[in-house]
Amino acid sequence: EEGEMVDLYIPRKCHASHQLITAKDHASIQITIADIDADGTYNGDSTTFCIAGLLRNESASDHAINRLCITNGIIRPKTGSKTKKVKEAEKDAALATRQMIAKANIKAKRALTTGRGRGGRGAGRGAGRGRGEGRGRGEGRGRGEGRGRGAARGRGAAPKKE
């Protein structure tokens, strides 16, 4: 009524690729990042970024947001040199990993030599039996012995006469 033009849709542009984000691009996002001071408290300002759905589909939105934040001074770029604390923590973690591996190797060797593990002496089925020994199929039973059909029906071998 007052003569002002009111748009129902205001088109946006992707801040990373500078492409126009269409109304049908339902994969696009708009992210608002709050600005904070040195103490870590919110100072009332914020920065808004629009990312097109094309970048999200190509899995490039994370890199694009990081790049935009670095160029706008929100985050510092990674320098590549590590602090002393990080280096010491990595050394400690590597040492702990090597110690765990060494303990596991010692346990495995003990298990193999004592026969308390998989594949060691005296382990598994048929342990301690030489070739042809043990209780396999049909072993340990002669004619007429055991619980087979023939033994149950009395069809075993005839007893020897003296």
Side-chain angles (χ1 to χ4, degrees), residues 15-155:
H15 284 87
S17 65
H18 304 290
Q19 293 178 346
L20 189 65
I21 299 174
T22 64
K24 295 291 183 179
D25 189 2
H26 297 293
S28 64
I29 58 166
Q30 180 172 333
I31 186 168
T32 303
I33 300 172
D35 293 335
I36 56 173
D37 58 6
D39 298 331
T41 56
Y42 176 62
N43 62 9
D45 294 330
S46 62
T47 306
T48 304
F49 297 120
C50 296
I51 303 294
L54 176 70
L55 287 177
R56 295 189 68 213
N57 289 336
E58 292 176 354
S59 303
S61 60
D62 185 43
H63 177 68
I65 291 171
N66 284 340
R67 188 173 47 84
L68 289 169
C69 289
I70 289 170
T71 56
N72 289 333
I74 296 172
I75 59 174
R76 288 188 303 249
K78 192 173 181 180
T79 59
S81 62
K82 297 178 182 176
T83 63
K84 282 186 177 180
K85 286 183 180 179
V86 172
K87 288 179 183 178
E88 289 175 9
E90 286 179 353
K91 281 183 182 178
D92 292 341
L95 179 64
T97 304
R98 283 195 299 270
Q99 288 174 346
M100 284 183 3
I101 291 171
K103 285 181 183 178
N105 287 339
I106 290 169
K107 285 182 181 179
K109 285 180 184 177
R110 280 187 196 152
L112 287 175
T113 57
T114 59
R116 290 187 184 160
R118 292 174 64 177
R121 281 183 252 146
R125 292 185 183 173
R129 299 183 189 131
R131 189 172 218 178
E133 297 176 8
R135 284 182 254 129
R137 282 185 131 167
E139 293 179 17
R141 297 181 189 150
R143 286 191 141 199
E145 297 175 11
R147 299 176 300 235
R149 284 192 215 162
R153 294 185 186 155
R155 293 186 193 160

Side-chain angles (χ1 to χ4, degrees), residues 4-8:
E4 291 182 18
M5 191 168 151
V6 178
D7 289 330
L8 295 177

